[in-house]
């Protein structure tokens, strides 16, 4: 076990469980422990030998942890935990409220810097590798336009909105990229597209006994903000079908840069993800980022960082020499 | 003009001309000059005011150039120029003989390090952004397989081979990715595939007067190494069609990582390029990399570097603050 990067997990929801799974695929890491606000008896780690502790014990375990991965939510947990824990640990988190990232960075940066820690914020896929590709697209093709399409993906917020419609017993919503729009962009076009033109919304709904399908459909497709401005398809299914076919937290999307390097010469770069499990992929990114954070801390690069600050070779378990010889 | 990054170009073939074009799209840069072994009268810069010099004058212009982009070939030019010029300038090159990269790195690194310069080697798209995605795929999805498909792309080497066949007056060859193979990988499969199974070769051939089409076709499809092991399609066209339809140096390809994060959960990431001009896109990458090299030199990161060593935010003209606020 000597020499392994000791990772700990703060928060054990879907993301925290994904981090547990991801660590098993990275032989240069070990899982030092899971920290949760829930009683230890309610946490079932994937490996029975993994220590489970209360969140309040973190402070006294600082010398046992190289990098702490924060798996709490962006709304309630991270705004408090991020700055607090970056003062005690090297951290990685997936803070994903895009509009509040500058404010969050400003809170985490001094905490990490003053205590000589490295704190990577807003890692994952969006924000994360998608952000990387948006910046890369503009840098490589300055004369161009960037498009981010999401889907096919299960949207938690829209699924919740469906479940609040009277007459709905259960529901999920998938965001799907509009194929026509993607094809226009892939061909090197630079259309002006609104999010509504770039995406469709497909709903799978279980009706309550006696509910009228047409009334429910009408309530959904006219719902302001969530559905009214989008092309929305509503499918009615049974409770059994919902349970059987719609449990996976699939997601994904496309970042496409369409640009021109000389008159008439178009260049298109595209990065896409097709994810069988959104939280497990996000967790895999966080774990690779933990490796980079550990190395950057060793290089005394203290303070809050984002994925833009990481030389990507540091994400790989391979040495720079191996990467040059085998991957370049 | 003050404060702009002063770029110079060594070598004025297709790549050097692409660098000229790319600099025009980057307002934080200026073109300090073009250096060539050819007589100045044979060089026609895109902008008439661009100074043109002989290669031997480079040494005395060191204080006028922030980053020198080496646009020579990997076979003859770079093995000599790379180490020599990295002792005098910050450099960027596209050395692309994959098997000799470690040796080339070992020659450039001490030259750059001893003279306190920053020398980025093997930038472009492959090696370059494709290499980045191969390493990223493995780091994010350690349990998986990576596939690099090339095409649709004009292959210079294979076109040259066609032109050596008796009876051929002119020809081009396109490498095309095999759609079936791509689809297998995109679905999350991990097939064992040889390069021959992943690519087709499509030839467009102009016959010499009196040459027999069947004899030429047979000579092509049985040519060892180049065509014999591949599915090869030969189309005969007129000299006019060749000149009209096959002048663009199109290229591109796909890097696909297919992985698993837990039993039964597949995740697929894909990076693809569809390039209207291979040299112009490569040049665009080199120019963005020159910005990063200039900044890394300012941070006293001396020696030979590869794309794995660059925090990608440094490629962007935007500040770290802007990137966090607008692109993350």
């Amino acid at each position: 076990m000597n020499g392994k990067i000791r990772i700990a997990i703060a928060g054990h929801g879907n993301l925290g469980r994904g981090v547990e799974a991801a660590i098993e695929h990275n032989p240069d890491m070990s899982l030092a422990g899971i920290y949760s606000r829930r009683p230890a008896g309610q946490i079932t780690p994937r490996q029975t030998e993994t220590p489970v502790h209360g969140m309040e014990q973190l402070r006294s375990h600082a010398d046992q942890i190289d990098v702490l991965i924060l798996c709490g939510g962006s709304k309630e947990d991270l705004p408090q935990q991020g700055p607090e824990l970056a003062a005690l640990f090297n951290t990685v988190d997936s803070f994903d409220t895009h509009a509040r990232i500058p404010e969050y960075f400003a809170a985490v940066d001094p905490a990490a810097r003053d205590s000589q820690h490295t704190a990577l914020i807003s890692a994952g896929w969006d924000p994360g590798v998608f952000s990387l590709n948006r910046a890369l697209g503009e840098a490589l093709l300055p004369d161009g336009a960037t498009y981010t399409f999401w889907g096919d993906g299960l949207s938690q917020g829209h699924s919740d909105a469906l479940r609040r419609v009277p007459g709905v017993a259960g529901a999920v919503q998938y965001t799907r990229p509009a194929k026509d729009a993607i094809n226009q962009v892939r061909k090197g076009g630079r259309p002006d597209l609104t999010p509504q033109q770039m995406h469709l919304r497909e709903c799978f709904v279980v009706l309550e006994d006696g509910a009228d399908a047409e009334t429910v459909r009408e309530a959904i497709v006219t719902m302001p903000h969530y559905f009214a401005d989008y092309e929305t398809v509503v499918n009615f299914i049974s409770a059994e079908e919902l349970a059987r076919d719609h449990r996976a937290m699939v997601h994904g999307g496309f970042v496409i840069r369409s640009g021109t390097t000389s008159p008439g010469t178009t260049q298109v770069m595209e990065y896409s993800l097709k994810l069988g499990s959104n939280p497990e992929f996000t967790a895999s990114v966080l774990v690779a980022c933990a490796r980079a954070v550990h190395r950057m801390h060793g290089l005394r690069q203290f303070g809050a960082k984002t994925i833009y600050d990481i030389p990507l070779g540091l994400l790989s378990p391979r040495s720079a020499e191996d990467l040059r010889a085998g991957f370049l």
Side-chain angles (χ1 to χ4, degrees), chain A:
Chain A
M1 295 291 282
N2 248 342
K4 292 202 184 199
I5 307 173
R6 299 166 304 170
I7 310 283
I9 296 171
H12 200 250
N14 287 326
L15 185 59
R17 280 191 291 272
V19 170
E20 270 192 279
I23 290 171
E24 293 172 15
H25 293 299
N26 287 281
D28 60 337
M29 301 184 180
S30 66
L31 179 53
I34 296 167
Y35 296 79
S36 170
R37 278 178 307 222
R38 281 181 291 160
Q42 288 181 24
I43 306 282
T44 310
R46 290 171 57 92
Q47 309 284 348
T48 48
E49 70 271 24
T50 300
V52 177
H53 305 286
M55 204 71 96
E56 72 287 351
Q57 291 184 269
L58 262 176
R59 185 173 289 267
S60 62
H61 292 179
D63 61 342
Q64 298 162 33
I65 296 167
D66 294 315
V67 184
L68 179 65
I69 301 185
L70 311 185
C71 298
S74 296
K75 203 168 169 194
E76 305 290 340
D77 303 322
L78 295 176
Q80 194 199 326
Q81 289 176 357
E84 248 179 57
L85 294 171
L88 302 166
F89 298 94
N90 297 320
T91 60
V92 176
D93 71 52
S94 62
F95 184 82
D96 66 359
T97 313
H98 293 260
R100 306 192 68 177
I101 287 173
E103 175 187 340
Y104 184 64
F105 181 91
V108 174
D109 189 46
R113 201 172 286 277
D114 294 349
S115 61
Q116 301 207 327
H117 288 109
T118 307
L120 182 72
I121 68 161
S122 301
W125 62 275
D126 197 353
V129 282
F130 268 26
S131 321
L132 213 48
N133 278 281
R134 283 190 287 262
L136 195 60
E138 194 199 47
L140 302 188
L141 297 169
D143 179 12
T146 302
Y147 300 84
T148 303
F149 293 86
W150 290 278
D152 292 350
L154 184 75
S155 164
Q156 213 54 66
H158 286 77
S159 299
D160 290 345
L162 290 177
R163 290 181 204 113
R164 289 190 296 263
V165 173
V168 171
V172 293
Q173 193 259 199
Y174 298 95
T175 302
R176 306 208 189 278
K179 289 210 169 61
D180 285 357
I182 287 198
N183 287 338
Q184 275 183 68
V185 174
R186 277 194 183 144
K187 280 184 199 145
R190 294 194 211 169
D192 280 323
L193 294 171
T194 62
Q196 289 77 13
Q197 292 168 314
M198 292 167 72
H199 300 96
L200 320 178
R201 302 206 172 276
E202 184 164 9
C203 312
F204 292 86
V205 172
V206 180
L207 291 173
E208 283 178 352
D209 278 351
D212 177 59
E214 247 341 283
T215 309
V216 167
R217 184 197 308 270
E218 192 59 25
I220 292 171
V221 300
T222 59
M223 194 189 298
H225 184 55
Y226 284 90
F227 296 102
D229 303 329
Y230 287 84
E231 187 180 331
T232 301
V233 175
V234 182
N235 307 288
F236 294 102
I237 58 173
S238 68
E240 293 69 37
E241 287 169 313
L242 183 70
R244 186 189 65 208
D245 302 334
H246 300 281
R247 289 181 56 187
M249 282 175 283
V250 298
H251 220 305
F254 306 78
V255 177
I256 307 181
R257 178 73 175 182
S258 170
T260 300
T261 48
S262 67
T265 304
T266 58
Q267 317 268 15
V268 180
M269 52 177 276
E270 174 172 338
Y271 181 80
S272 69
L273 292 171
K274 195 175 165 191
L275 306 178
S277 161
N278 181 357
E280 286 185 14
F281 184 76
T282 302
S284 298
V285 178
L286 299 187
V287 167
C289 285
R291 178 183 293 118
V293 161
H294 182 61
R295 291 168 168 175
M296 290 169 81
H297 183 252
L299 296 167
R300 302 185 60 81
Q301 298 185 11
F302 305 135
K305 306 289 175 193
T306 72
I307 198 153
Y308 297 125
D309 302 310
I310 304 178
L312 292 193
L314 297 184
L315 295 174
S316 168
R318 296 177 188 273
S319 68
E321 202 171 358
D322 274 7
L323 285 176
R324 286 195 297 268
F327 282 69
L328 199 57

